[in-house]
Amino acid sequence: MRIATITNWAYGGTVCLTIAAGVTMVMASNADRIERDAVRQRDLFDQLAFEVEADEAQLTDQARLAAVTGDPSHEIAYNRTLAAIGPVEQRLSRLKDNGAKEEELRSLEEGLRWARTLQDEQKAAIDAIKRGDEITAHKIVFGAEYERELERVHFLLGRFRYMLDQRSDRAIEQASQASQRLRTVSEVMVGITALLFLFVLGFVLKRRILKPVVKLSDVVNRLADQDYAVEPPQLSQIDEIGDMAHAIRVFRENGIERQRLERERDADWHVRDLLARMTQRLQGCESVADLFEVVRLFAPRIAPDLSGRLYTLDARLGMMACASEWQSPDGSDAAFAPDDCWALRRGQSHMPGGDLVDVPCKHVPPETAAATVCVPLTAQGETIGLLVLENRAGLQGPSNNTKVYIELMSETVGLALANLKLRDALHEKALFDALTGLRNRHELADTLRRGVAQADAARTPLSCLMVDIDRFKQLNDRFGHDAGDLTIRSVASTLDNAAREDGTAFRYGGEEFLLLLPGCGEDRAVERARLIQERISAMTLVHDGVPLGPVTVSIGISTYPVHGPAHALIGSADAALLRAKEEGRNRIVLATGRRDTNAAAAAEIG
């Protein structure tokens, strides 16, 4: 056989194998595209299914809030949510248009039928609230039958998602297997082509084919190992080798895109898990300080490229004060007025950087304004804080995905902060007197119990002072209630200062006060009472330009265990106060001791 014939046969065989390899790679690329489409379709189905479940959960929450609070705004929110959801046919059509099967849609339709049943019950509960029948409304939305129907809806929607996931997983697996088979076939063909190149190495094909094929073979092998960092050679020749090089580039680009999508998916699940854990920790916070610490720990992990500060509104100063910071942001953490931040003015996120020109906030340094985003923390329409985040990687704001995470984080933190502040406010109202700021009688029992336990353990006395403003009713009738309130606040301030170091002051009721002094015996209690009388007598009170005259107090003192058992401590002090009133007021009277039953030991200041 002539050499020319061998060369022609080798050339012809090389051309055929090259074309086949190129076609195989194109088919592998198509299989990868099918796999990506299946992944995107699954993500879309999951999103649509979760939207349906979230809508039903939101309707339940609004109905229950309406039943619990009776607030008409929840009914309005319920109707608005119900109108925004749209009819069942619209949801089914949306899923069907995106490739959902009839069997899957039937499963979803069954779940939506039960959801409509829930909506009927929700409407019935809201109607009951309108009629003032709160018991019926509570039975409807909090009853066992409602819970079972709600669980049935969750189960049917979960089964729908499971069917979608099963079909999507099968499609992804089939596409992946087809891609792997095609890559294997392609590698085999390229290997055979390489052998032919070696055979005709000394002929005209040496420079034309051998050198580029060697390069492409290395690229294909590395791509087969999913090493997408390899750069395919740039071949300008228009022949089978050029087509193969183009197919390899397409295959590599598809592989890189698939890896990127997988990384984004994994990163998204990781961040969502962090957000869920952060939400759980925020729900368990016992104080605002705990909340600040949770935000400081989780924020840099949710958005690693962002440093930031958390500001809260100081109601006394009317300023935004820095409560927590992470990853050393630039600029000062000094307090600033709410009007200095455009996010607080507008009630939404503000980012002056990016393609659109915007006004920077005054509290942000000019050199970092383009990389800073301000996110207000709101709850129930009220702004209670601010997140100021700075991109440490450059002069641009956060990415779109990070913006979504920031919005979710701000909503969670805002709601948790509002709940804590509401709880603290309710706690303060329950334990402290609104007029004087002193502790009230609700707190007295616990404080007395702890004081007695400490006195017993340390074998030390515990004194109780009952203080009453003399002739308060005459002062109140003469000068008015505002003057009376001024007198009560002034006396309360004096008592609070007198007890601040080693005791606790309470407003016992009306113009009557009580002081508990742990570790304080009879003599020290009398000295403290005299000091209180001196300070109160020295007060100069003026209301509307009119002097109120001197204010005096009567004080009864009882000491545990000298004057009786712990449960009689307050009663003994009250009896001593009554004697001080009967003896002419402006006096200090000690309670009767256990061994002195015939007369009270009294100390008078006249």
Side-chain angles (χ1 to χ4, degrees):
M1 183 178 293
R2 292 180 179 272
I3 295 177
T5 304
I6 296 173
T7 303
N8 290 335
W9 275 102
Y11 181 80
T14 300
V15 170
C16 293
L17 289 173
T18 302
I19 294 174
V23 171
T24 304
M25 289 184 181
V26 172
M27 295 173 64
S29 174
N30 183 62
D32 289 340
R33 182 185 58 76
I34 294 174
E35 181 180 355
R36 289 197 311 276
D37 292 341
V39 171
R40 282 195 292 267
Q41 187 184 59
R42 180 178 62 185
D43 292 341
L44 178 59
F45 285 160
D46 284 343
Q47 179 184 355
L48 294 175
F50 277 120
E51 287 178 359
V52 172
E53 190 168 2
D55 290 340
E56 299 306 327
Q58 187 175 4
L59 288 174
T60 295
D61 291 343
Q62 294 295 344
R64 286 180 170 177
L65 285 172
V68 171
T69 64
D71 189 346
S73 64
H74 294 300
E75 178 188 355
I76 297 173
Y78 175 86
N79 294 328
R80 187 183 298 116
T81 303
L82 188 62
I85 289 175
V88 173
E89 292 77 14
Q90 182 179 345
R91 301 186 197 173
L92 295 176
S93 175
R94 187 179 178 189
L95 288 167
K96 186 175 182 181
D97 292 343
N98 286 281
K101 304 299 183 183
E102 290 296 329
E103 181 182 359
E104 297 162 350
L105 292 176
R106 284 197 298 271
S107 176
L108 175 61
E109 188 174 9
E110 183 180 356
L112 293 178
R113 282 202 306 272
W114 283 104
R116 284 196 298 270
T117 301
L118 288 177
Q119 293 174 9
D120 293 338
E121 295 179 0
Q122 294 159 4
K123 294 176 181 177
I126 292 175
D127 293 337
I129 287 295
K130 290 181 178 180
R131 297 192 304 271
D133 191 357
E134 296 180 358
I135 297 177
T136 301
H138 277 256
K139 286 183 178 180
I140 292 175
V141 295
F142 290 100
E145 182 61 26
Y146 186 89
E147 293 293 338
R148 285 194 295 270
E149 293 177 357
L150 187 61
E151 288 295 328
R152 187 179 292 111
V153 171
H154 290 325
F155 169 75
L156 293 172
L157 293 177
R159 186 177 67 179
F160 169 70
R161 290 197 303 271
Y162 175 79
M163 295 171 64
L164 293 176
D165 288 341
Q166 289 294 311
R167 180 164 63 84
S168 298
D169 289 342
R170 287 195 299 270
I172 293 171
E173 182 179 1
Q174 291 172 0
S176 178
Q177 291 175 353
S179 176
Q180 184 63 39
R181 287 195 300 270
L182 291 171
R183 283 198 299 269
T184 303
V185 172
S186 176
E187 292 171 5
V188 170
M189 290 182 179
V190 172
I192 295 174
T193 303
L195 291 177
L196 288 175
F197 285 167
L198 293 175
F199 179 73
V200 295
L201 187 62
F203 297 90
V204 294
L205 301 179
K206 178 178 180 180
R207 295 183 179 178
R208 177 84 177 180
I209 298 176
L210 180 58
K211 188 175 180 179
V213 166
V214 170
K215 294 180 180 180
L216 291 177
S217 178
D218 178 64
V219 172
V220 169
N221 288 328
R222 293 178 65 177
L223 290 178
D225 294 332
Q226 296 188 351
D227 179 11
Y228 297 107
V230 62
E231 287 289 342
Q234 297 293 332
L235 301 178
S236 58
Q237 59 196 64
I238 304 176
D239 55 15
E240 292 80 358
I241 298 299
D243 293 340
M244 186 169 63
H246 176 70
I248 291 174
R249 286 195 296 272
V250 173
F251 181 80
R252 173 178 173 272
E253 292 171 359
N254 290 337
I256 292 175
E257 179 66 15
R258 184 176 63 184
Q259 282 189 340
R260 186 187 67 79
L261 291 174
E262 291 176 351
R263 286 194 300 269
E264 288 184 357
R265 183 187 62 188
D266 295 341
D268 182 70
W269 280 112
H270 174 69
V271 174
R272 289 183 181 274
D273 178 65
L274 284 174
L275 285 168
R277 290 170 55 196
M278 179 181 181
T279 302
Q280 293 174 351
R281 303 306 182 272
L282 290 174
Q283 291 173 350
C285 288
E286 292 293 334
S287 65
V288 177
D290 290 344
L291 181 142
F292 296 154
E293 181 65 15
V294 170
V295 174
R296 187 185 68 81
L297 290 175
F298 277 87
R301 290 166 175 80
I302 294 173
D305 294 334
L306 301 180
S307 60
R309 291 189 177 95
L310 170 61
Y311 290 86
T312 58
L313 180 62
D314 189 332
R316 295 181 298 105
L317 302 177
M319 303 285 282
M320 301 301 297
C322 180
S324 179
E325 70 174 46
W326 53 94
Q327 301 197 126
S328 303
D330 293 335
S332 171
D333 62 352
F336 59 89
D339 286 343
D340 289 344
C341 181
W342 281 96
L344 296 178
R345 290 188 188 184
R346 300 164 58 221
Q348 59 185 10
S349 299
H350 184 73
M351 185 178 65
D355 298 333
L356 299 178
V357 178
D358 211 334
V359 181
C361 297
K362 294 182 180 179
H363 64 92
V364 177
E367 60 272 13
T368 61
T372 302
V373 57
C374 298
V375 184
L377 303 180
T378 59
Q380 299 178 352
E382 179 184 0
T383 300
I384 57 176
L386 177 70
L387 283 176
V388 180
L389 304 172
E390 176 189 330
N391 190 352
R392 305 163 65 214
L395 295 179
Q396 295 295 327
S399 63
N400 291 332
N401 286 341
T402 305
K403 290 179 184 177
V404 175
Y405 304 147
I406 291 173
E407 292 293 338
L408 293 174
M409 182 173 66
S410 66
E411 291 176 5
T412 303
V413 174
L415 182 60
L417 184 59
N419 289 338
L420 284 174
K421 288 191 173 183
L422 177 61
R423 187 180 66 180
D424 292 343
L426 293 176
H427 183 265
E428 183 174 353
K429 288 182 179 179
L431 301 183
F432 292 87
D433 177 61
L435 177 62
T436 64
L438 299 180
R439 298 176 183 271
N440 57 29
R441 294 181 65 170
H442 295 290
E443 181 74 357
L444 175 60
D446 291 339
T447 305
L448 178 60
R449 184 169 55 254
R450 291 193 298 268
V452 171
Q454 292 174 359
D456 290 339
R459 297 184 181 277
T460 56
L462 172 65
S463 290
C464 173
L465 277 65
M466 292 290 291
V467 182
D468 186 84
I469 302 175
D470 294 331
R471 298 179 177 87
F472 178 77
K473 185 177 185 303
Q474 297 177 10
L475 183 148
N476 208 33
D477 293 341
R478 180 180 178 186
F479 296 101
H481 292 291
D482 290 342
D485 290 345
L486 173 63
T487 304
I488 289 176
R489 285 196 300 268
S490 301
V491 172
S493 177
T494 302
L495 295 176
D496 190 32
N497 291 331
R500 182 167 298 172
E501 294 183 358
D502 55 358
T504 308
F506 300 84
R507 186 181 183 188
Y508 198 69
E511 68 274 17
E512 198 170 16
F513 303 88
L514 184 147
L515 275 71
L516 288 180
L517 302 175
C520 185
E522 293 178 86
D523 294 339
R524 286 182 58 195
V526 171
E527 292 177 2
R528 187 69 59 87
R530 287 173 177 165
L531 177 63
I532 291 172
Q533 280 194 330
E534 291 174 0
R535 291 181 177 178
I536 292 176
S537 298
M539 291 189 312
T540 302
L541 301 181
V542 178
H543 177 68
D544 288 340
V546 178
L548 301 184
V551 178
T552 63
V553 294
S554 299
I555 302 176
I557 302 175
S558 176
T559 302
Y560 170 79
V562 177
H563 297 135
H567 64 82
L569 182 65
I570 297 178
S572 299
D574 195 36
L577 174 63
L578 181 60
R579 291 202 305 276
K581 289 284 191 180
E582 292 173 349
E583 293 174 6
R585 297 184 176 85
N586 193 23
R587 282 169 169 73
I588 300 171
V589 175
L590 280 172
T592 302
R594 288 183 174 179
R595 292 187 296 270
D596 186 9
T597 57
N598 296 323
E604 300 182 358
I605 298 178

